[in-house]
Amino acid sequence: MSPQRIAPRSAAGFELRAGQLLTVIDPEGVQVADLLAFSRDDPREVISNGRTFDYEETITLTTGNRLWSNRSNVLLNIEADSVGRHDFLLTPCSEQTFRHFYPDKPVHRGCFGNLAEALKPWEIEPDSIPVAFNCFMNVPVDEAGKVRVLPPVSRAGDSVSLRAEKDLIIGLTACSAYDSNGGSFKPIDYQITD
Amino acid sequence: MSPQRIAPRSAAGFELRAGQLLTVIDPEGVQVADLLAFSRDDPREVISNGRTFDYEETITLTTGNRLWSNRSNVLLNIEADSVGRHDFLLTPCSEQTFRHFYPDKPVHRGCFGNLAEALKPWEIEPDSIPVAFNCFMNVPVDEAGKVRVLPPVSRAGDSVSLRAEKDLIIGLTACSAYDSNGGSFKPIDYQITD
């Protein structure tokens, strides 16, 4: 298929068959895309940052690393990555995080609300949304464990490609938060290839 | 109540009322206790490492830090901590992690299986078990993001105390894995005070 566009501050939900490759593209640069993956056959199986950190033995995930589920299965393999900096620590921005971090700015339902909406056709409840794999999100952790959210280092056209190990339901956003993308709201593109 | 003992390689499930203080004690030293907390009124609300990292802005949690839920509510406040080194990155050890990390050793259902059993009375499904707050677990993250599991720095009698912000269902283990406690299996004690 040709690349699809996710409009700024929105999300898409779609299915990805086992063996297909999903490429997430930052068309303008310095933007974040929150990625969720659920098993299509039983959406109670979902990507897990903890199981991924367990088996990959790192919190820095790039080409060659795999994203694992809460049932200890590989859901996605990272096959290519032109950026090398993503985040799997922090949760999708939400109405509550907007109130907390941006008390002077208009409240938005954020990636969390957008994902909840996009995943409704598969009857996935908002409470079942875990930590997303945040493509291009730049979250350094210092020696004391403190985390900061910096603008992504991705440039226009950068991408990360993930191959499905199982039939999956995917949720994918063009991020709505101020800090994660340097203060501007931009689209995200994605492409599915066999 | 007087302190309760969790036998080596087992778990306990119990309720903690809002305002009560739970003290988790390492009676012999160098042991790990995986802690889960669910809202008693609606167990779909559960502690979330991601939301906690979001709001606390650190992965190093100690006195003064709070453990947040997937619904952006504080479930527990860390009121005292004689160790200062715990983990909220890695998942409870399980049959699958035993097969992966200890292929030559007998398989055990691990903290995951023990928690699933301990939480059955509240009809909490194994798929709903998230990353636990792993009291005393020593998981340094290096500059490259690599994680290691080292023996805890806790000594006999060390403890961490957490006060409930809501009525909670708690799951608590005496860890079953080899690496997390330096290769021996020991009990964990806990005490609830008002």
Side-chain angles (χ1 to χ4, degrees):
Chain A
M1 64 169 225
S2 55
Q4 307 290 305
R5 176 146 291 195
I6 301 173
R9 301 189 115 183
S10 75
F14 52 90
E15 294 190 5
L16 189 68
R17 286 198 314 276
Q20 285 187 318
L21 188 73
L22 169 64
T23 299
V24 181
I25 305 152
D26 182 356
E28 300 181 8
V30 196
Q31 172 60 314
V32 165
D34 290 11
L35 171 69
L36 291 178
F38 300 79
S39 168
R40 198 196 57 183
D41 293 341
D42 184 350
R44 291 175 301 179
E45 180 169 21
V46 60
I47 56 164
S48 162
N49 67 344
R51 287 277 174 233
T52 300
F53 299 153
D54 273 338
Y55 293 119
E56 299 302 303
E57 302 183 38
T58 180
I59 63 171
T60 303
L61 302 157
T62 184
T63 306
N65 288 120
R66 300 156 293 177
L67 306 187
W68 294 73
S69 78
N70 57 336
R71 293 185 188 170
S72 288
N73 296 313
V74 174
L75 297 190
L76 290 159
N77 283 288
I78 304 177
E79 285 205 348
D81 178 9
S82 67
V83 178
R85 182 162 279 279
H86 314 284
D87 169 67
F88 209 4
L89 292 172
L90 303 183
T91 48
C93 59
S94 69
E95 186 183 316
Q96 290 86 352
T97 64
F98 271 86
R99 290 187 197 285
H100 182 94
F101 290 108
Y102 314 112
D104 300 329
K105 292 205 165 72
V107 170
H108 190 273
R109 67 179 182 177
C111 288
F112 186 86
N114 287 331
L115 287 164
E117 180 78 20
L119 294 167
K120 266 188 189 167
W122 294 274
E123 297 180 354
I124 293 168
E125 297 285 332
D127 282 327
S128 302
I129 293 177
V131 174
F133 180 69
N134 303 304
C135 304
F136 317 126
M137 192 171 183
N138 184 6
V139 181
V141 180
D142 74 14
E143 276 180 31
K146 195 158 176 56
V147 300
R148 285 184 304 157
V149 178
L150 300 181
V153 296
S154 50
R155 290 173 298 186
D158 270 332
S159 65
V160 58
S161 297
L162 308 101
R163 194 171 299 277
E165 280 285 317
K166 304 181 69 156
D167 292 344
L168 300 175
I169 301 155
I170 299 288
L172 187 66
T173 76
C175 185
S176 309
Y178 296 89
D179 284 352
S180 58
N181 50 26
S184 64
F185 307 119
K186 285 171 279 193
I188 284 289
D189 291 345
Y190 68 95
Q191 187 162 25
I192 297 171
T193 48
D194 285 318
Chain B
M1 64 168 224
S2 55
Q4 306 289 307
R5 174 146 293 195
I6 301 173
R9 303 189 114 184
S10 75
F14 53 88
E15 294 191 5
L16 189 68
R17 287 198 313 277
Q20 286 187 317
L21 188 73
L22 169 65
T23 298
V24 180
I25 304 152
D26 182 355
E28 299 180 9
V30 196
Q31 171 61 313
V32 165
D34 289 10
L35 171 70
L36 291 178
F38 300 78
S39 169
R40 199 196 55 184
D41 294 341
D42 184 349
R44 291 175 302 180
E45 180 169 20
V46 60
I47 57 165
S48 162
N49 67 343
R51 288 278 175 232
T52 299
F53 299 153
D54 274 336
Y55 293 119
E56 298 302 302
E57 301 183 39
T58 181
I59 64 171
T60 304
L61 302 157
T62 185
T63 306
N65 288 120
R66 299 156 293 176
L67 305 186
W68 294 73
S69 78
N70 57 337
R71 293 185 188 170
S72 288
N73 296 313
V74 174
L75 297 190
L76 290 158
N77 283 288
I78 305 177
E79 286 205 347
D81 178 9
S82 67
V83 178
R85 182 161 279 280
H86 314 285
D87 170 65
F88 208 5
L89 292 172
L90 303 183
T91 47
C93 59
S94 69
E95 185 182 316
Q96 290 86 353
T97 65
F98 272 86
R99 290 187 198 284
H100 182 94
F101 290 107
Y102 314 112
D104 300 329
K105 291 204 164 73
V107 169
H108 190 273
R109 68 179 181 177
C111 288
F112 186 86
N114 287 331
L115 286 164
E117 180 79 21
L119 294 167
K120 266 189 188 166
W122 294 274
E123 296 180 355
I124 293 168
E125 297 286 332
D127 282 326
S128 302
I129 293 178
V131 175
F133 180 69
N134 303 305
C135 304
F136 316 126
M137 192 169 182
N138 184 6
V139 181
V141 181
D142 74 14
E143 275 180 33
K146 195 157 176 58
V147 300
R148 285 184 304 158
V149 178
L150 301 181
V153 297
S154 50
R155 290 173 298 186
D158 269 332
S159 65
V160 57
S161 296
L162 308 101
R163 193 172 300 276
E165 279 285 315
K166 304 180 70 156
D167 292 343
L168 299 175
I169 301 156
I170 299 290
L172 187 67
T173 76
C175 185
S176 309
Y178 297 89
D179 284 352
S180 58
N181 50 26
S184 63
F185 307 119
K186 286 171 279 195
I188 284 289
D189 292 345
Y190 68 96
Q191 186 162 25
I192 297 172
T193 48
D194 285 320

